[in-house]
Amino acid sequence: MTFITISEVGPRDGLQSIKPVMPLEAKKAWIAAEAACGIPEIEVGSFVPPSLLPQMADTAELVRFARGIEGLNVVALVPNAKGAARAIEAGVHGFSAPFSQSETHSIRNVRKTHAQMLESIAEMGAMAKEAGVHFAVGLATAFGCTIEGAVSEAVVVRNAVASIEAGAMELSLSDTTGYADPAQVKRLVRAVRAEVGDKLTTLHLHNTRGLGLANALAGLEEGITTLDASLGGLGGCPYAPGASGNLVTEDLVLMLNAMGLNTGIDLEKLLKVRAILADALPDEPLYGFTPDAGVMLDYNERIAK
């Protein structure tokens, strides 16, 4: 049975784009509860200046807490070498850096051109190698940008290759703005994998226009093995206007489990974790069809096959 890794990004991507700051103890309860459901990897936060994103000020403490959970892969986002140093010091298993394929978005998001970002990736790659930490690069806005519009596939492929050459160990394609469609996902995954092979493992998808699950399935059909998702669909990019709506973890788990794919995740337990978010963030909407509709009557028979 094929194993598909679901990486929960809600504690980072979900919380960075909302105004309330989720209490530290609630974050810990969320992370622990999801790990207990079988979620194998959680992006617990990002190492950015607290003045820019106060929601992420406690990331180092969350890393230390999450490292105490047996079997959980603890990762974080870093924007630059300073963030990478903090992530390594905190004890992450791995960190990722966002590399926006829209240069305008890159400048707004991390204040770097493409050339400057590749220099930064080389620096972070060397740091990761020395520390024995996994280093991934997320090719953000790979499917389109709310600032520039269409993004050249040739640019994405070129930057993917350059990122690996600079020291990235793994790549993801990110639909930061919810622009992707299934045909585009298939085309771009094929194009990038033709150059970097199985170093492209991951899709980070948003459900902004309702195509998240369709795009996830398209990626799986092209050999993608890891999918990012956020509990309750929390999230978006604060520097990309209109980029709301992460792929809903609960709906993704339902689809994959029902298809007979192995996620290792207990969906019924996962649905109960939403209560932690609802209590800690009472004014934030939570999304997802599965929590409202429930599982199919024959769900257990489907996942047993």
Side-chain angles (χ1 to χ4, degrees):
M1 185 185 295
T2 303
F3 185 84
I4 303 299
T5 298
I6 293 182
S7 180
E8 172 62 59
V9 299
R12 194 276 303 175
D13 199 10
L15 297 181
Q16 72 174 11
S17 58
I18 63 175
K19 290 183 179 179
V21 176
M22 191 175 191
L24 175 61
E25 292 308 311
K27 291 182 182 180
K28 289 181 178 179
W30 178 7
I31 291 166
E34 283 216 27
C37 296
I39 292 283
E41 179 176 285
I42 300 179
E43 188 178 51
V44 300
S46 62
F47 286 91
V48 296
S51 58
L52 294 178
L53 285 176
Q55 302 93 327
M56 300 290 107
D58 53 10
T59 296
E61 189 166 352
L62 285 171
V63 169
R64 289 188 286 270
F65 167 78
R67 279 297 305 258
I69 301 174
E70 186 177 357
L72 181 64
N73 193 40
V74 181
V75 297
L77 188 82
V78 304
N80 50 39
K82 287 183 179 180
R86 291 175 59 203
I88 291 168
E89 182 182 9
V92 296
H93 291 117
F95 61 82
S96 65
F99 182 8
S100 296
Q101 301 307 286
S102 157
E103 196 155 31
T104 306
H105 182 265
S106 182
I107 292 168
R108 290 194 187 184
N109 193 39
V110 294
R111 300 175 186 173
K112 286 183 172 64
T113 64
H114 282 176
Q116 290 170 328
M117 193 61 210
L118 285 168
E119 291 176 0
S120 182
I121 288 170
E123 187 176 2
M124 288 185 279
M127 295 170 66
K129 184 177 181 180
E130 182 178 355
V133 172
H134 190 74
F135 173 43
V137 167
L139 301 169
T141 65
F143 299 95
C145 175
T146 52
I147 305 167
E148 289 188 6
V151 171
S152 167
E153 290 185 3
V155 168
V156 179
V157 173
R158 183 172 68 245
N159 284 333
V161 172
S163 295
I164 295 297
E165 291 174 346
M169 302 170 189
E170 184 180 7
L171 297 176
S172 70
L173 292 174
S174 299
D175 185 21
T176 313
T177 58
Y179 268 35
D181 64 70
Q184 185 187 21
V185 169
K186 283 177 169 285
R187 190 170 60 245
L188 190 56
V189 169
R190 284 177 193 161
V192 174
R193 294 196 107 198
E195 298 299 325
V196 303
D198 60 7
K199 290 188 183 298
L200 171 61
T201 62
T202 305
L203 286 179
H204 177 99
L205 301 168
H206 283 207
N207 198 43
T208 313
R209 293 167 179 81
L211 295 175
L213 288 178
N215 290 334
L217 184 57
L220 293 176
E221 291 173 349
E222 293 300 325
I224 290 296
T225 55
T226 299
L227 295 165
D228 291 351
S230 176
L231 194 74
L234 282 175
C237 176
Y239 299 104
S244 61
N246 271 303
L247 190 59
V248 178
T249 306
E250 304 93 307
D251 289 346
L252 179 61
V253 172
L254 175 76
M255 182 182 81
L256 298 179
N257 284 359
M259 289 172 63
L261 299 173
N262 181 15
T263 64
I265 298 167
D266 186 322
L267 177 58
E268 293 181 292
K269 283 185 180 180
L270 182 66
L271 290 171
K272 296 176 182 177
V273 181
R274 287 170 65 98
I276 296 172
L277 274 64
D279 289 343
L281 303 168
D283 297 324
E284 291 300 319
L286 298 179
Y287 302 97
F289 291 99
T290 305
D292 292 333
V295 302
M296 309 83 155
L297 287 176
D298 64 344
Y299 173 74
N300 288 329
E301 287 79 6
R302 294 188 189 197
I303 65 175
K305 291 181 180 179

